[in-house]
Amino acid sequence: MGRDVPALVFTREDRRRYREKMHTCLDVLAQMLRESTFESERPRVGLEIELNLVDADGLPAMRNTDVLQAIADPAWSSELGRFNLEINIPPRELTTGGPGAWEQEIRDALNHAEERASAVGAHLIMVGILPTLGETHVDETALSGDPRYKLLNEQIFAARGEDLRITVDGVERLSTYADTITPEAACTSTQFHLQVSPKDFADYWNAAQAIAGVQIALAANSPYLFGRELWRETRIPLFEQATDTRPQEIKAQGVRPRVWFGERWITSVFDLFEENVRYYPALLPLCDDEDPQQALDSGRAPQLGELTLHNGTIYRWNRPVYAVTASGPHLRIENRVLPAGPTVADIIANGALYYGLTRALVDEDRPIWTRMSFSVAEENLHTAARDGIDARLYWPGMGEVPVTELVLRRLLPLAHRGLELAGLDAAWREPLLGIVEQRCVTARNGALWQAETVHHLEKGGADRHAALRQMTRTYMDYMHLNAPAHTWPVD
């Protein structure tokens, strides 16, 4: 939800007008899908990375306003918590540049930001959940100053009518309550964008859903929350609970959550936007001046402001995005399942696997989504989040197998083929997918390194909080070296 919103109180009339505008937007989108030309001849990819800010001891630094002023770059923006930032890497064609060009662009941007942040006493860290984050760091004072976050917080709690309960049973157990949505700020992610044509959107979205569990298992990087070791990718259950507008009684009625995997394979992008309007009340009923039907009739691409704002308050793990640029309207998938980090090299390798696998699966004669039930794909996601690289996942033709075996035997060859179909030669593919291969061979990733390092420090006499601080500082050293996490030593 990147739009700036004013601080205000919504009336019943606001909500009625907003619902009517959303239905108009939905009708216009349906007409556009039938009649309009969407920009897709030169499909592009994009990337957003959410980061945490820490001080010299590795503890949360509530300094995003100061750091943003120091960076002074419109590519950077605030996030929900004062200890968060986000960078939006400019979109590009997947084949632009030689091997490592995208990686170098990202590293240059992050290194520049780190230099500016350190001048005001803060440091950047890419990690799914900041290991040193405590419950005292996520009260209302930790909300970023932008009015949109305060407004979103107010609307979610107005819908709930009670505090949020956060419960995660993992290696250890967490059970707590929150009176703000700030615990959501603990979840920092990597978001890959993929521009697709309307006719191909459903196939690519279905493919992305099918591999979500695999992505999470290989890239898990969030084993600690509030000092407890929980799931390997604790970010998944935390995010599902930290923005839940439903009290227990509403959950029992089967009302859908706002953080949602979905419930079925789709046949059109329209299915997803229609579900948004049908199932979810508006949190931020702000109406634009634009008449979308009039804009379309006059030959302009409508912004569909109400529909897109509403879409930004529904947190699908693979979110549909409609946007208008100078070259016209386009559609893209925002892949939101992955944590941030550990290194830029790991992130780019994760992107290579995602872009390659989705392309190959879409190209198959018998699509994966015709051979796997949707509920199994969702179960894979939660199994992967709980067990990480040790997870056993279901895949058609193989049954339930270790994810490392699944990737090495079946999915890596598919990813190579998909990237080749996209126009990427072996010199580009091999280094990046090689990182994924070695993760599987060694069965090591960021989450495992974090947990093993903390256990090692605790055996040496450190208490949990001291071990987390020391592990976080060491993590940052390795992050800056940019060696993939499966190569990090435990010492």
Side-chain angles (χ1 to χ4, degrees):
M1 192 204 76
R3 284 174 53 176
D4 292 332
V5 298
L8 46 76
V9 176
F10 297 117
T11 66
R12 288 176 291 180
E13 174 66 13
D14 291 330
R15 296 186 180 280
R16 182 189 65 77
R17 289 184 59 244
Y18 191 80
R19 180 179 289 109
E20 291 173 353
K21 282 290 296 285
M22 278 203 297
H23 280 280
T24 300
C25 287
L26 195 62
D27 291 342
V28 169
L29 177 62
Q31 183 180 344
M32 293 178 70
L33 292 172
R34 292 192 304 269
E35 303 172 358
S36 298
T37 300
F38 283 75
E39 210 247 323
S40 59
E41 288 185 6
R42 295 179 295 110
R44 298 191 293 174
V45 298
L47 173 65
E48 298 171 77
I49 305 173
E50 298 169 346
L51 302 99
N52 289 281
L53 294 172
V54 295
D55 61 19
D57 293 324
L59 297 173
M62 307 294 175
R63 303 291 301 278
N64 67 354
T65 300
D66 297 334
V67 172
L68 283 173
Q69 290 175 350
I71 295 173
D73 184 337
W76 290 85
S77 60
S78 64
E79 264 296 324
L80 179 63
R82 292 186 184 273
F83 54 92
N84 297 144
L85 289 179
E86 180 179 82
I87 182 172
N88 194 329
I89 305 297
R92 59 161 58 210
E93 293 181 47
L94 187 58
T95 53
T96 297
W102 205 19
E103 180 178 345
Q104 191 59 52
E105 178 185 356
I106 298 165
R107 289 194 70 194
D108 288 346
L110 295 179
N111 288 339
H112 171 74
E114 168 64 21
E115 180 183 349
R116 294 296 182 89
S118 63
V120 296
H123 303 278
L124 276 61
I125 178 172
M126 295 188 299
V127 64
I129 294 176
L130 180 59
T132 56
L133 193 73
E135 291 185 63
T136 57
H137 298 125
V138 292
D139 60 15
E140 189 170 4
T141 64
L143 276 176
S144 283
D146 191 314
R148 61 180 158 148
Y149 299 120
K150 183 174 186 295
L151 188 57
L152 186 65
N153 182 65
E154 291 170 351
Q155 294 302 306
I156 286 178
F157 276 90
R160 279 188 62 83
E162 63 187 56
D163 288 350
L164 287 161
R165 186 181 183 192
I166 298 172
T167 304
V168 185
D169 285 306
V171 178
E172 298 168 353
R173 187 171 193 273
L174 172 69
S175 181
T176 188
Y177 286 89
D179 59 4
T180 75
I181 62 169
T182 319
E184 182 198 332
C187 305
T188 42
S189 65
T190 298
Q191 297 156 22
F192 289 108
H193 290 252
L194 176 61
Q195 183 180 320
V196 295
S197 68
K199 68 180 180 61
D200 293 330
F201 187 96
D203 287 353
Y204 274 96
W205 188 86
N206 290 340
Q209 292 284 95
I211 67 170
V214 173
Q215 288 183 275
I216 290 169
L218 296 187
N221 196 33
S222 313
Y224 290 98
L225 174 64
F226 300 156
R228 294 173 178 83
E229 183 180 351
L230 301 169
W231 288 16
R232 287 303 186 239
E233 189 50 38
T234 305
R235 205 181 104 263
I236 298 296
L238 174 60
F239 197 49
E240 289 176 340
Q241 296 176 57
T243 52
D244 199 342
T245 58
R246 307 167 303 162
Q248 290 297 323
E249 296 80 4
I250 299 300
K251 286 184 187 179
Q253 295 173 33
V255 173
R256 294 158 181 83
R258 292 195 95 92
V259 177
W260 201 32
F261 185 74
E263 62 188 11
R264 62 187 174 115
W265 306 117
I266 64 169
T267 59
S268 167
V269 64
F270 186 80
D271 295 348
L272 301 177
F273 284 107
E274 184 182 36
E275 286 176 353
N276 290 355
V277 174
R278 177 182 295 176
Y279 298 143
Y280 295 97
L283 287 179
L284 302 171
L286 294 161
C287 287
D288 286 354
D289 293 333
E290 178 190 72
D291 181 328
Q293 187 66 61
Q294 187 179 70
L296 184 62
D297 292 344
S298 66
R300 292 185 289 110
Q303 298 293 325
L304 305 184
E306 292 77 17
L307 195 68
T308 58
L309 176 59
H310 187 54
N311 184 55
T313 65
I314 298 161
Y315 305 95
R316 297 177 185 271
W317 294 115
N318 283 290
R319 177 190 276 164
V321 178
Y322 167 91
V324 180
T325 64
S327 54
H330 72 258
L331 296 169
R332 63 182 190 267
I333 297 168
E334 181 185 18
N335 178 250
R336 302 166 51 84
V337 301
L338 293 177
T343 66
V344 175
D346 286 301
I347 287 174
I348 297 300
N350 294 337
L353 182 71
Y354 169 67
Y355 292 127
L357 261 184
T358 51
R359 175 62 187 268
L361 292 174
V362 164
D363 197 59
E364 285 192 316
D365 292 335
R366 190 180 175 196
I368 184 68
W369 52 94
T370 67
R371 297 180 284 133
M372 177 193 289
S373 74
F374 195 87
S375 61
V376 166
E378 182 175 18
E379 184 178 346
N380 277 350
L381 178 140
H382 287 100
T383 299
R386 185 186 67 236
D387 299 336
I389 207 160
D390 295 323
R392 295 177 61 88
L393 305 182
Y394 175 84
W395 196 261
M398 295 185 72
E400 186 180 290
V401 293
V403 67
T404 51
E405 178 183 343
L406 168 62
V407 173
L408 290 171
R409 286 178 50 194
R410 182 68 60 87
L411 301 187
L412 266 179
L414 279 176
H416 274 285
R417 180 169 178 270
L419 291 178
E420 186 177 15
L421 289 170
L424 300 168
D425 61 26
W428 198 99
R429 302 191 311 265
E430 292 289 352
L432 298 181
L433 293 181
I435 292 174
V436 176
E437 180 182 25
Q438 287 305 305
R439 257 190 240 157
C440 294
V441 169
T442 61
R444 300 190 62 76
N445 60 11
L448 188 66
W449 181 87
Q450 288 189 50
E452 287 187 350
T453 300
V454 168
H455 298 165
H456 175 74
L457 293 168
E458 288 178 329
K459 287 179 182 177
D463 64 24
R464 173 62 57 85
H465 295 294
L468 288 171
R469 288 196 301 274
Q470 186 171 337
M471 180 271 285
T472 299
R473 292 194 297 268
T474 305
Y475 179 107
M476 293 171 65
D477 291 338
Y478 289 138
M479 178 190 77
H480 286 297
L481 292 175
N482 201 39
H486 70 266
T487 68
W488 294 4
V490 174
D491 51 35

